[in-house]
Amino acid sequence: MKLQIIDNGLEKHGEVLRAQISRRIPAAFDGGMPVTLAIDPALGAESYRVDAATPGWQITGGDPAGLYFGIGKFLHAAKWSDTDFTPVPTNGTVSPDCPFRMIYFALHFYNWYHMASEAELREYMLEMMLWGYNSVITIVPVVTAAGEDDPDLNRQVDKVRAVFRVAAELELKKGLIFIPNEGFTTAPQAFSGTPNFDPLHMRGDIGRNLCLSLPGAVEYMKKLLTGLLGKFRDTKPDYVMSWPYDEGGCNCENCRPWGANGYLRGVNLLRECVRETIGDAKFVISTWAFDEPEGQGEFAGLFQALKDGKVSADYVMVDSHDAFPAYPLSHKCPVPVVNFPEISMWKLYPWGGLGATPMPRRFDGFWQSSKAVLSGGMPYSEGIYEDITKIQCVGYYWNKNADWRETLSEYISYEVDADAVAPVLEMIDCLEKNHLAAAKEAEPDIAAACRAEELARHVQATLSKRGQKAWRWRLLYARGVLDGKRHRAYAARGMHGAEDVKYLRRFSGKLLEHDEEAQELFRELFALYHCVPHNGNNKWTLVPVNGEVYL
């Protein structure tokens, strides 16, 4: 196909458009259909439109970011063949409903982000931006570090800096997460905090969590936080977020309830450190696992402290493992609220070990219950296996009333094939049925699993060579085939009951250890995820091959 990209001096945008088209079809850019790029501030920040022109097409952004988002829509909505494509205009100007559209890359446990090259990170971050994200956030894992000079810690610092270099190049905003009372593993025992109140086993107690009420603990944490923040002074982070639980928390009499007491002192300490080291940055207070169980007064205490000016923030992040917390739905937060969809670590282990993990109905239910109070969000990502759910989430951030079926249809049409939309959506429905059954430790739907495999094989047989090899489709295909195989094996062995269902949920690798096709799919996933052999720290992200599992 011959095209002419008229970039009007917007060279980086033009390069992105050329590269994305060239990945899909043989293209020459020395004439042919004109595609004009333009910026018109009258459209508004981050807004865009795609219009048929005479001749050709025009993509207009309200600013440079909006033009990137417009390029993404131009690509994703088009009708593609193996040799050309037909663009589709937008219905006027498109503007995001939510300003906060962040993706959290968890750089740890030897997952894909931990192991990917800078070039791979750049390509993936560019794709996330083209789908509509405007920010990326990550964490420097203090949890296993012995001190500021720990070689592993500084390798992670280098990786975060690589993410930030790419973000700066792509004009994505960037952020860092800190736990304001988590010390190094060598922190003095005299500073040790009291384990969290956690009767529901939702909060965790990971890391060296310190008590900020003990003499010397605040000074220790201030030195730790300013030291780590100083490693990023030159990168100028746009956001800093405090985190309360999982890592973090103290349940002593001077700190509880943590979220309305000791944590708020930690929030103020972190804000002070941010001002002293990197200056201005938007501040986000996470409330992960607040009021679990309800009645502890954590949300009420935080909201009152925000009203009284005892703490300050630009956003409050609200979410939990399952249902959206009740208090922020019935009590107005003094600052905008964003969500934190847990799209990675839910009920099937190892994470992504069977391929893609779409659960569109589950996440649509969460969104519908909370969208009225939300100004965006930041899905939690441990890898690329939940790629399709990242796109579902950002679809809501652009249009609060988005239909997930339309969002996923556009994704499937672009990333797989337009003719594959209906069968892949049906396959996803079958996969979700058994994922939800596993979560409830209920007996699986064998017929749905077999149907998922049947649909996966049907789509694979109809795709072009490009489509058959596309990594996003390979993740969906692997999941469909492996779900069918493992559930058939479960039924063939007469397995039934609570213990057998738990075994199925925790991967059931031994069921398929003699199935060579299954093993080949596991080896493919192992390579796609950049897995390394078991090393004691990667059990959650390691695809088990030959039935090996370390959980």
Side-chain angles (χ1 to χ4, degrees), residues 528-541:
L528 282 171
Y529 298 164
H530 299 320
C531 289
V532 297
H534 182 244
N535 59 17
N537 293 314
N538 63 337
K539 63 180 181 178
W540 299 106
T541 58

Side-chain angles (χ1 to χ4, degrees), residues 2-22:
K2 294 177 70 65
L3 302 102
Q4 181 183 8
I5 308 300
I6 305 167
D7 62 27
N8 290 314
L10 300 159
E11 296 176 0
K12 288 172 63 175
H13 294 78
E15 289 171 6
V16 166
L17 181 55
R18 291 184 192 92
Q20 295 298 308
I21 292 171
S22 296

